[in-house]
Amino acid sequence: MSIDALASNLIRRVNVGDSLTRSAARNPHALALVEGTRRLSYTEFNQHVNRLAHSLIGRGIEVGDAVALASGNSIEFLTTYYACAKIGAVCVPINLDWRAEEVAYVLDDSQARCFVVQAEVAETMAAAVQEAGGPELVIVTGSATTRFGDVPTVPFAELTAHQDGSEPERLVDDRAALTYLYTSGTTAAPKGVVGNHTAVYLESMTMVIEGQFRADDKFAAMLPMFHTAQLNCHCTTAIMIGAAIYILPGFDAENLLTLIEAEGITQLFGLPMMYRAMLDHESIARRNLSSLRRALYAMAPMPQQMLEQCIEVFDCDFYLLFGQTEMSPTATIFRPENQLTHPGAVGTPAVNVQVAIMDESGRLLECGCTGEIVYRGPHVMTEYLGRPDDTEEAFRHGWFHSGDIGHFDDDGILWFTDRRKDVIKTGGENVSSLEVEKAVYAAEPDAAEVVVVGLPHARWSEAITAFVVPRPGTRPDPETIRENMRNHIDAYKIPKGIVIVGDLPKTATGKIQKNQVRTAHTDLYQTL
């Protein structure tokens, strides 16, 4: 007797939601999620997800329907994500830094039928719903009196009170869409990156291997969950192996240091500026951080002096993740053993990822040659939503094109030169903005943050310009920085101008927005 399609799918399929089901079956009483005073075991978390899943089915959500999600880090965020996965709906996380019109664009572009909204951001999201053509239903987490026009609303708690906590059974293909993650649009509307179950499932397994994660690990989740780095490098990975996630609303040095001590946190994922803030905290010398095993950093390079200090103070392995949303996101790992031997590199290919360097004609290049970094492997996105031309361009020559420039050295380690769009064309030379940033850090130890861009200039076409945020209580001198840089970089790469600023524009994940810096200071050399 042959089995039907649904039964066959449930037996064999690759589905991110099933990773939670299996962890709950394997370790039912293990701690899954902690948010403030709320603590859920894996059984409780899984049943919470299943009840929401059955409620969404009851509200008419079908396989392939988009469910938008506007929430800060919370149990409700992860509950929604996993409920969508189990029933084959597509989760569309919303960047909480977006304006109402940007959210409206994503609601329309994704054709979201349902919108889960945290009460704290209800006002902005209500304005977006008014502007958009949908959704049909808004689910509100927490207490909110905001109206969403004529769109009906229902409390999240009402849906998770559903009586059925059993596993929802739906046929969901292995390569079915799991998420639409929208990339930041700098010169055009953001593109929806279609992530699929196989890509995220295998990427999560890759991080288990590369991060050496264990079921007894305790993860601090402080970066935004609506970003793929936090969601798919730590959260889905932790849940896959049945580890505990301590959910934080954001980064605060005092709170994080206290949490590490009180709960015995073993795994961190933060931005370099977060590690800097902890190093500078007045209590750091008194803290017991011995529970830490591994610390991951990403989004920005770690200055060498700071990295050495981090390794000494936190006394754990540090490693860098390099990738992008289209890679779900892990592509290479800069491993602990290479941190001090190859400073400035971005590592070696992660498990399941093939990396190469390609010239503009599609020819693969040898070690030492610079070109575009390209990828193959199951982590790669399915497509750009509704953008066949962009998808074809990204997949030309049979590889995924990252838009990043780099090269491999003789040790097989990848070096990232710059984003193609951030290479500065000055006086007939192409200069990596990243290389200049590293030189500024080396020349000025009191530089807390640095960004380098090219600005319009009558003589140089683009003048290399550095913007420096100093460490608190210090006053770096631009000319001294320029002079000190002569020991670290070729003379023609030294910035024509160095501007001391109080802060720099950033995305919600802490990535400096170079396009905003360029726009804000485009007339700098016309007014000098």
Side-chain angles (χ1 to χ4, degrees):
M1 186 176 89
S2 62
I3 59 175
D4 64 24
L6 174 59
S8 177
N9 179 251
L10 293 172
I11 291 168
R12 302 189 181 101
R13 74 182 185 184
V14 178
N15 184 290
V16 171
D18 291 345
S19 64
L20 169 59
T21 305
R22 292 162 188 156
S23 288
R26 191 170 62 248
N27 295 303
H29 305 299
L31 182 63
L33 305 178
V34 178
E35 183 186 358
T37 59
R38 304 164 67 194
R39 291 179 177 244
L40 296 182
S41 69
Y42 267 92
T43 293
E44 292 168 331
F45 177 33
N46 191 49
Q47 290 180 347
H48 205 52
V49 167
N50 291 346
R51 292 189 181 103
L52 178 60
H54 283 294
S55 290
L56 292 175
I57 291 172
R59 298 271 175 171
I61 300 300
E62 303 286 349
V63 173
D65 283 346
V67 176
L69 172 59
S71 172
N73 292 357
S74 63
I75 289 174
E76 287 74 19
F77 186 106
L78 291 175
T79 299
T80 302
Y81 179 78
Y82 277 89
C84 287
K86 288 192 178 193
I87 66 173
V90 185
C91 188
V92 186
I94 299 295
N95 187 322
L96 299 186
D97 280 350
W98 285 341
R99 302 182 306 276
E101 55 266 34
E102 293 173 297
V103 177
Y105 169 83
V106 170
L107 292 176
D108 284 338
D109 191 66
S110 65
Q111 299 182 34
R113 290 191 58 201
C114 178
F115 195 7
V116 179
V117 176
Q118 187 178 40
E120 287 78 359
V121 296
E123 186 174 339
T124 297
M125 301 308 150
V129 169
Q130 297 270 26
E131 186 174 333
E136 302 165 17
L137 174 70
V138 173
I139 301 169
V140 181
T141 74
S143 300
T145 58
T146 305
R147 294 187 59 83
F148 290 79
D150 296 330
V151 179
T153 62
V154 60
F156 190 92
E158 180 178 315
L159 300 190
T160 52
H162 195 283
Q163 294 302 306
D164 192 352
S166 65
E167 294 296 328
E169 296 187 347
R170 270 190 166 177
L171 195 158
V172 182
D173 290 339
D174 292 356
R175 285 285 181 177
L178 169 67
T179 53
Y180 300 152
L181 296 175
Y182 280 79
T183 60
S184 300
T186 56
T187 59
K191 292 182 291 202
V193 174
V194 181
N196 63 74
H197 282 270
T198 296
V200 174
Y201 199 102
L202 291 181
E203 195 276 345
S204 300
M205 292 186 70
T206 291
M207 285 305 298
V208 170
I209 297 167
E210 298 286 14
Q212 300 181 13
F213 297 158
R214 306 188 311 226
D216 62 350
D217 270 324
K218 297 179 179 181
F219 292 77
M222 56 190 173
L223 294 176
M225 289 180 180
F226 58 70
H227 190 276
T228 182
Q230 180 65 74
L231 183 58
N232 295 327
C233 291
H234 261 201
C235 291
T236 57
T237 303
I239 290 167
M240 177 167 281
I241 58 171
I245 301 174
Y246 288 76
I247 300 171
L248 299 172
F251 171 72
D252 178 272
E254 173 75 24
N255 291 344
L256 180 57
L257 290 169
T258 298
L259 180 68
I260 294 170
E261 283 191 298
E263 297 287 353
I265 299 299
T266 62
Q267 298 273 359
L268 287 182
F269 180 17
L271 307 179
M273 67 178 185
M274 296 174 180
Y275 292 107
R276 176 80 272 166
M278 287 190 284
L279 288 174
D280 290 341
H281 195 272
E282 56 86 20
S283 71
I284 189 67
R286 305 191 303 272
R287 297 288 188 168
N288 178 7
L289 307 176
S290 60
S291 63
L292 289 174
R293 292 200 307 110
R294 280 202 153 198
L296 168 63
Y297 64 101
M299 309 296 178
M302 182 92 78
Q304 185 68 9
Q305 182 181 12
M306 178 182 159
L307 177 59
E308 293 172 357
Q309 189 179 3
C310 279
I311 293 172
E312 178 182 356
V313 171
F314 293 100
D315 193 25
C316 68
D317 286 340
F318 272 75
Y319 65 112
L320 167 72
L321 178 149
F322 182 73
Q324 59 193 104
T325 302
E326 291 88 340
M327 288 298 295
S328 305
T330 306
T332 69
I333 302 288
F334 189 29
R335 306 170 198 284
E337 61 268 25
N338 298 135
Q339 292 283 308
L340 299 181
T341 62
H342 294 72
V346 294
T348 52
V351 171
N352 290 324
V353 180
Q354 183 181 0
V355 185
I357 305 298
M358 183 177 285
D359 67 14
E360 293 184 359
S361 67
R363 182 172 61 95
L364 297 182
L365 303 177
E366 298 178 351
C367 285
C369 296
T370 297
E372 184 177 11
I373 303 170
V374 293
Y375 302 119
R376 280 178 173 170
H379 296 187
V380 180
M381 68 169 188
T382 303
E383 63 182 341
Y384 290 115
L385 182 63
R387 293 171 177 257
D389 292 344
D390 289 334
T391 303
E392 184 178 353
E393 175 70 12
F395 289 165
R396 66 190 185 279
H397 306 305
W399 292 75
F400 172 73
H401 290 250
S402 69
D404 294 332
I405 305 300
H407 71 276
F408 279 103
D409 65 17
D410 291 337
D411 294 324
I413 294 178
L414 181 66
W415 294 76
F416 169 59
T417 302
D418 214 340
R419 291 289 294 170
R420 185 186 295 276
K421 64 184 179 182
D422 291 330
V423 171
I424 301 169
K425 299 175 175 59
T426 181
E429 300 283 353
N430 290 337
V431 176
S432 162
S433 63
L434 184 61
E435 180 186 6
V436 181
E437 287 167 9
K438 291 177 180 178
V440 175
Y441 277 121
E444 180 48 74
D446 286 329
E449 291 182 298
V450 177
V451 67
V452 170
V453 299
L455 296 179
H457 193 283
R459 177 179 177 184
W460 301 105
S461 180
E462 288 186 318
I464 301 172
T465 310
F467 294 83
V468 178
V469 177
R471 293 176 62 184
T474 65
R475 299 180 64 182
D477 175 62
E479 285 309 309
T480 300
I481 297 174
R482 281 170 43 82
E483 187 61 32
N484 291 343
M485 288 182 70
R486 296 184 182 278
N487 298 320
H488 303 282
I489 202 169
D490 294 333
Y492 74 91
K493 299 177 182 178
I494 295 174
K496 299 297 184 287
I498 295 180
V499 183
I500 307 300
V501 294
D503 56 26
L504 293 167
K506 299 184 181 70
T507 66
T509 53
K511 185 180 294 185
I512 297 171
Q513 296 179 298
K514 289 190 176 183
N515 61 303
Q516 289 195 18
V517 175
R518 280 190 287 261
T519 299
H521 300 279
T522 188
D523 295 330
L524 179 67
Y525 293 100
Q526 276 68 50
T527 58
L528 291 180

